[in-house]
Amino acid sequence: MARYPKDHRQQTRERIVQAATEAFKTEGIDGVGIARVMGRAGLTHGGFYAHFQSKDDLVGEVLAGSLEASVHPRVQAAREAGEGLAGVVRGYVNRAHRDHPATGCVLPTLSGEVARQPEAVRGALTGSLERLIADMSELSTAPDAAARRADALATLAGMVGALALSRAVSDPTLSDELLKATRDGLMRQHTPSRTD
């Protein structure tokens, strides 16, 4: 009898999460059942419960993991480049991000739907969002902790809203305008003025 590698269980779980992440972002949480997720992962429906207690359990992990994978690298890159919140805005509010929702941030794609999910699902997103807000607050140049948090909150809400609206409208020109106006406004806010 062939033995599975030691990390087989973890790899299988990751396949399920990846399949669910892509499916939820493109078809919505309520539009995708467990059978479809497992089919996308190349697994049988019955194997789901060896990894997750419920669909809500999977949704919570997808939300938290997707936020970590899609936004935190942008924050880290801005920190390393010394660009502050302007670097986060530049990396987030753009056409490439708008045009590829399956690989982008979960917030503009699913936050409206998450608002109607059970408390446990919303709690998973809230925990990840709080970590993101804390990371973004560290990049703010506002004078105190409360102001830095407010700065991060407003910037995040602006970025997510711009991306969500730019995807929602049918007019490509308006979509581009939403992105450009938001990006330019947030960049002006977060780029230090240079005086000679």
PDB file of all heavy atoms in Angstrom, residues 73-89:
ATOM      1  N   PRO A  73       1.509  41.626   1.220  1.00  0.00           N
ATOM      2  CA  PRO A  73       2.738  41.811   0.423  1.00  0.00           C
ATOM      3  C   PRO A  73       2.889  43.235  -0.124  1.00  0.00           C
ATOM      4  O   PRO A  73       3.994  43.749  -0.220  1.00  0.00           O
ATOM      5  CB  PRO A  73       2.572  40.794  -0.719  1.00  0.00           C
ATOM      6  CG  PRO A  73       1.674  39.751  -0.159  1.00  0.00           C
ATOM      7  CD  PRO A  73       0.719  40.486   0.733  1.00  0.00           C
ATOM      8  N   ARG A  74       1.772  43.875  -0.460  1.00  0.00           N
ATOM      9  CA  ARG A  74       1.832  45.256  -0.937  1.00  0.00           C
ATOM     10  C   ARG A  74       2.289  46.186   0.189  1.00  0.00           C
ATOM     11  O   ARG A  74       3.061  47.119  -0.036  1.00  0.00           O
ATOM     12  CB  ARG A  74       0.464  45.692  -1.466  1.00  0.00           C
ATOM     13  CG  ARG A  74       0.065  45.033  -2.769  1.00  0.00           C
ATOM     14  CD  ARG A  74      -1.347  45.437  -3.179  1.00  0.00           C
ATOM     15  NE  ARG A  74      -1.652  45.051  -4.536  1.00  0.00           N
ATOM     16  CZ  ARG A  74      -2.328  43.965  -4.867  1.00  0.00           C
ATOM     17  NH1 ARG A  74      -2.763  43.145  -3.943  1.00  0.00           N
ATOM     18  NH2 ARG A  74      -2.572  43.696  -6.132  1.00  0.00           N
ATOM     19  N   VAL A  75       1.804  45.936   1.394  1.00  0.00           N
ATOM     20  CA  VAL A  75       2.214  46.742   2.545  1.00  0.00           C
ATOM     21  C   VAL A  75       3.695  46.528   2.828  1.00  0.00           C
ATOM     22  O   VAL A  75       4.446  47.481   3.052  1.00  0.00           O
ATOM     23  CB  VAL A  75       1.350  46.398   3.792  1.00  0.00           C
ATOM     24  CG1 VAL A  75       1.879  47.093   5.032  1.00  0.00           C
ATOM     25  CG2 VAL A  75      -0.116  46.772   3.542  1.00  0.00           C
ATOM     26  N   GLN A  76       4.130  45.272   2.793  1.00  0.00           N
ATOM     27  CA  GLN A  76       5.538  44.956   3.047  1.00  0.00           C
ATOM     28  C   GLN A  76       6.441  45.590   1.994  1.00  0.00           C
ATOM     29  O   GLN A  76       7.490  46.145   2.313  1.00  0.00           O
ATOM     30  CB  GLN A  76       5.740  43.441   3.093  1.00  0.00           C
ATOM     31  CG  GLN A  76       7.150  43.021   3.471  1.00  0.00           C
ATOM     32  CD  GLN A  76       7.568  43.511   4.838  1.00  0.00           C
ATOM     33  OE1 GLN A  76       6.759  43.635   5.745  1.00  0.00           O
ATOM     34  NE2 GLN A  76       8.845  43.811   4.996  1.00  0.00           N
ATOM     35  N   ALA A  77       6.034  45.528   0.728  1.00  0.00           N
ATOM     36  CA  ALA A  77       6.833  46.121  -0.346  1.00  0.00           C
ATOM     37  C   ALA A  77       6.938  47.634  -0.165  1.00  0.00           C
ATOM     38  O   ALA A  77       8.019  48.212  -0.349  1.00  0.00           O
ATOM     39  CB  ALA A  77       6.216  45.790  -1.708  1.00  0.00           C
ATOM     40  N   ALA A  78       5.843  48.281   0.217  1.00  0.00           N
ATOM     41  CA  ALA A  78       5.869  49.735   0.452  1.00  0.00           C
ATOM     42  C   ALA A  78       6.776  50.075   1.629  1.00  0.00           C
ATOM     43  O   ALA A  78       7.514  51.060   1.592  1.00  0.00           O
ATOM     44  CB  ALA A  78       4.456  50.255   0.695  1.00  0.00           C
ATOM     45  N   ARG A  79       6.742  49.247   2.665  1.00  0.00           N
ATOM     46  CA  ARG A  79       7.607  49.465   3.839  1.00  0.00           C
ATOM     47  C   ARG A  79       9.070  49.345   3.446  1.00  0.00           C
ATOM     48  O   ARG A  79       9.891  50.199   3.784  1.00  0.00           O
ATOM     49  CB  ARG A  79       7.263  48.450   4.937  1.00  0.00           C
ATOM     50  CG  ARG A  79       8.130  48.588   6.186  1.00  0.00           C
ATOM     51  CD  ARG A  79       7.784  47.563   7.252  1.00  0.00           C
ATOM     52  NE  ARG A  79       6.477  47.854   7.821  1.00  0.00           N
ATOM     53  CZ  ARG A  79       5.429  47.029   7.782  1.00  0.00           C
ATOM     54  NH1 ARG A  79       5.530  45.845   7.216  1.00  0.00           N
ATOM     55  NH2 ARG A  79       4.286  47.367   8.331  1.00  0.00           N
ATOM     56  N   GLU A  80       9.395  48.287   2.716  1.00  0.00           N
ATOM     57  CA  GLU A  80      10.788  48.060   2.326  1.00  0.00           C
ATOM     58  C   GLU A  80      11.312  49.145   1.391  1.00  0.00           C
ATOM     59  O   GLU A  80      12.484  49.491   1.429  1.00  0.00           O
ATOM     60  CB  GLU A  80      10.928  46.676   1.679  1.00  0.00           C
ATOM     61  CG  GLU A  80      10.767  45.543   2.672  1.00  0.00           C
ATOM     62  CD  GLU A  80      10.697  44.175   2.018  1.00  0.00           C
ATOM     63  OE1 GLU A  80      10.808  44.075   0.777  1.00  0.00           O
ATOM     64  OE2 GLU A  80      10.518  43.185   2.770  1.00  0.00           O
ATOM     65  N   ALA A  81      10.434  49.685   0.538  1.00  0.00           N
ATOM     66  CA  ALA A  81      10.842  50.734  -0.400  1.00  0.00           C
ATOM     67  C   ALA A  81      10.810  52.119   0.234  1.00  0.00           C
ATOM     68  O   ALA A  81      11.211  53.099  -0.398  1.00  0.00           O
ATOM     69  CB  ALA A  81       9.927  50.711  -1.626  1.00  0.00           C
ATOM     70  N   GLY A  82      10.331  52.203   1.481  1.00  0.00           N
ATOM     71  CA  GLY A  82      10.234  53.491   2.150  1.00  0.00           C
ATOM     72  C   GLY A  82       9.179  54.399   1.540  1.00  0.00           C
ATOM     73  O   GLY A  82       9.265  55.618   1.647  1.00  0.00           O
ATOM     74  N   GLU A  83       8.168  53.817   0.926  1.00  0.00           N
ATOM     75  CA  GLU A  83       7.136  54.598   0.236  1.00  0.00           C
ATOM     76  C   GLU A  83       5.910  54.908   1.089  1.00  0.00           C
ATOM     77  O   GLU A  83       5.045  55.669   0.663  1.00  0.00           O
ATOM     78  CB  GLU A  83       6.671  53.851  -1.017  1.00  0.00           C
ATOM     79  CG  GLU A  83       7.739  53.679  -2.053  1.00  0.00           C
ATOM     80  CD  GLU A  83       7.246  52.872  -3.238  1.00  0.00           C
ATOM     81  OE1 GLU A  83       6.462  51.928  -3.053  1.00  0.00           O
ATOM     82  OE2 GLU A  83       7.665  53.200  -4.362  1.00  0.00           O
ATOM     83  N   GLY A  84       5.812  54.303   2.252  1.00  0.00           N
ATOM     84  CA  GLY A  84       4.662  54.545   3.110  1.00  0.00           C
ATOM     85  C   GLY A  84       3.352  54.143   2.455  1.00  0.00           C
ATOM     86  O   GLY A  84       3.313  53.280   1.584  1.00  0.00           O
ATOM     87  N   LEU A  85       2.283  54.804   2.883  1.00  0.00           N
ATOM     88  CA  LEU A  85       0.960  54.472   2.373  1.00  0.00           C
ATOM     89  C   LEU A  85       0.828  54.773   0.872  1.00  0.00           C
ATOM     90  O   LEU A  85       0.030  54.128   0.182  1.00  0.00           O
ATOM     91  CB  LEU A  85      -0.124  55.204   3.161  1.00  0.00           C
ATOM     92  CG  LEU A  85      -0.355  54.664   4.579  1.00  0.00           C
ATOM     93  CD1 LEU A  85      -1.345  55.544   5.338  1.00  0.00           C
ATOM     94  CD2 LEU A  85      -0.839  53.227   4.545  1.00  0.00           C
ATOM     95  N   ALA A  86       1.605  55.708   0.346  1.00  0.00           N
ATOM     96  CA  ALA A  86       1.566  55.988  -1.091  1.00  0.00           C
ATOM     97  C   ALA A  86       1.941  54.742  -1.891  1.00  0.00           C
ATOM     98  O   ALA A  86       1.345  54.459  -2.934  1.00  0.00           O
ATOM     99  CB  ALA A  86       2.512  57.140  -1.434  1.00  0.00           C
ATOM    100  N   GLY A  87       2.890  53.980  -1.398  1.00  0.00           N
ATOM    101  CA  GLY A  87       3.288  52.746  -2.083  1.00  0.00           C
ATOM    102  C   GLY A  87       2.202  51.695  -2.051  1.00  0.00           C
ATOM    103  O   GLY A  87       2.024  50.945  -3.021  1.00  0.00           O
ATOM    104  N   VAL A  88       1.465  51.620  -0.948  1.00  0.00           N
ATOM    105  CA  VAL A  88       0.350  50.674  -0.853  1.00  0.00           C
ATOM    106  C   VAL A  88      -0.722  51.065  -1.864  1.00  0.00           C
ATOM    107  O   VAL A  88      -1.248  50.219  -2.591  1.00  0.00           O
ATOM    108  CB  VAL A  88      -0.236  50.627   0.574  1.00  0.00           C
ATOM    109  CG1 VAL A  88      -1.410  49.657   0.648  1.00  0.00           C
ATOM    110  CG2 VAL A  88       0.835  50.242   1.596  1.00  0.00           C
ATOM    111  N   VAL A  89      -1.044  52.351  -1.916  1.00  0.00           N
ATOM    112  CA  VAL A  89      -2.053  52.846  -2.860  1.00  0.00           C
ATOM    113  C   VAL A  89      -1.637  52.513  -4.292  1.00  0.00           C
ATOM    114  O   VAL A  89      -2.423  51.990  -5.085  1.00  0.00           O
ATOM    115  CB  VAL A  89      -2.270  54.365  -2.696  1.00  0.00           C
ATOM    116  CG1 VAL A  89      -3.149  54.913  -3.813  1.00  0.00           C
ATOM    117  CG2 VAL A  89      -2.873  54.667  -1.330  1.00  0.00           C
TER     118      VAL A  89
END
